[in-house]
Amino acid sequence: MQPNHIQVPLKNLRPGHEAPNHPGNARVTGREEGIAELAAHIQIRGKIDDLLVYDDGVPEIYFVANGNRSLQALRMMYGDNSEQLVDCKLTTAERAFEDSLAVAVTAKKFHPVDEFEAFAKLRDQHGKTEEEIGQQYGMTAREVQQALALGGSLSPQVRDLWRAGRIKTEVVHALPLAGEHADQDKLLKKLNPDGNYEHLSAWQIKRELKIDQAGRLVEFVGVEAYTKAGGKVTLDLFGADHKVSNAKLAKRLADEKLERECIALVEAGWSFALPRDVISNARGYSTINVPRAELSAQERLELTQIEAVLPEEELYGDEVPFGTMTGKQRAAYLRRRQILQDLEQRPFTAEMKAKSGCSVAIDEDGLLEISFGWVKQEEKAAVSRAARARAAAAACDDEDDDGEATPAAAKPKAESKEISNALRERLEASLISATKDAVLAALDTDLLKSPLAQVLARLVCSQINVNGASIHIYSHGVKDKLPAMREALPAELFNKAIAKHFDATDYFSNAPKPLVVKAIAETINPDEARKAAAGSKAELAKFAIANVGKSGWLPKELRTPHYAVGAPVAKAKAAPPAKPQTTAAAVRKAKAERETKRVANAQKRVAKAVAKKTPKRKR
């Protein structure tokens, strides 16, 4: 049957999946995606295809079998109750679902090359500006630049290779950095004279072009600020590895911006804020463990919505690079990042901030990365006590549904036998840190005596980064093999490492009472455990810290095949007699003193800048 052409007022159209008798919309996923962009396109170009509609027995109402996203876009433009007439084709209710499915299945999406070449033609042959293309197709300025780079700036030879599947997308994204078409083709031939490009990587392209981390510094500073200061840049439109003319200028501008960020953190109440490389190279700084704050209901909801926007992970679980995300995805990613950063600093009270500080760094995407809770050694005990007190106060702050404090006579709740998620994460961080330390210690044993084994062990450890309770393992292969590594390590090495990283004070101060009692029973005896349990939680924790903490006992989260209850902690070897200071030792000492002085000077600069920005009080 050939559908009839009709015009229907917008207010009388409904999505096909709302039809009462014959739901006629085969699309389920992505019904609401890209509606604003589609509305912008219709506003400029007009509606291209008619909606496919049918009568499902509701008076004056037609349901849409194909074109439901266009219906949503038209409603956005004119309103749900608009009298605007919409061109439609009429089908039957019985055919509606199959018609919707047929259109969706038979529609063939452009190959990316064809799509990007089409955008280049809009600019080069139809005279469209980048701004006009962005408005018409609902694209951000960056997305338009990416499309034009791949459709016009990319060598025709590379485009043909991409069409044929003979070159990786990541390589295609990197090649415009090489310059003109001829330069791109010449670079490919140099790297692979035999014409086999399937295994070529973006890293090889950037290495050949001598692109280093200065590009990330320019991304952090801002391309406009860098060029205004006299630098020249070839943009990496799919990342932050820009090709820059003056690396020293990029470093200076980045250092200046980092210092401004440090000033802002000090003004926000932190005792100090320093670049991460300054803190890492200095002595006397470490991080403290604080109870992790919980997400609010609103934050959990927002994060769920954000995850639906972000792209799915690539093969092997690797995240899609930030630079290749769409504008909407990039905004969602940055918002998620902000929520998690706010969550990380939330447990710190004003008192704790006044005794601790932050480190700042620039990540691989050219974004500011802040780590909270760094302390000088002399302040660590005080801040840790404040953190434990805050956690204890939060645990005791039990309120009823009306918001009033629970009466003392009220029936107490049953003691939990599960540790908190925050404590669990801190224990996991301790376990991974101990694994890394034990592997490094094994370098001095016969276990890893071959040069290859030594190189591989150091490579594995370089993939593991633990900062407080924050764990970053950059290889899924390494992460999956950690249990096997622990089992393969000698018991003496691993038990010594885990004893070093287990924080008994943190554990017994925050673990539920039944678990503390059980630990005492396992280590001493059940009678002592019952006696200790008769006291308060604070008294019980104090007893456990004093009598169990150094016994070699470990919670189940830290136990490995090497564990034995009450295993003695390996004693530190006596220090060898002091030797006369050598020239090398003197050099190391002088270097350490210079680093200490560098940290002090950096703090003075931040403090001086804060003082300048703080208005003096009038007498």
Side-chain angles (χ1 to χ4, degrees), residues 101-116:
L101 179 62
V103 172
V105 170
T106 57
K108 186 69 173 176
K109 184 171 175 59
F110 269 180
H111 187 282
V113 178
D114 298 335
E115 180 180 339
F116 298 139

Side-chain angles (χ1 to χ4, degrees), residues 111-126:
H111 187 282
V113 178
D114 298 335
E115 180 180 339
F116 298 139
E117 284 182 344
F119 281 118
K121 286 181 181 178
L122 284 179
R123 178 194 61 187
D124 300 336
Q125 299 180 18
H126 295 261

Side-chain angles (χ1 to χ4, degrees), residues 296-338:
S296 67
Q298 178 60 36
E299 286 171 333
R300 284 195 296 271
L301 175 61
E302 189 174 357
L303 285 176
T304 301
Q305 294 169 339
I306 286 172
E307 291 299 331
V309 173
L310 293 175
E312 293 184 8
E313 292 180 341
E314 294 180 331
L315 191 62
Y316 308 119
D318 294 331
E319 288 190 353
V320 174
F322 178 67
T324 63
M325 293 181 187
T326 66
K328 189 175 182 181
Q329 290 168 343
R330 286 165 66 92
Y333 176 86
L334 293 175
R335 176 55 185 153
R336 181 182 68 174
R337 205 167 176 272
Q338 184 62 54

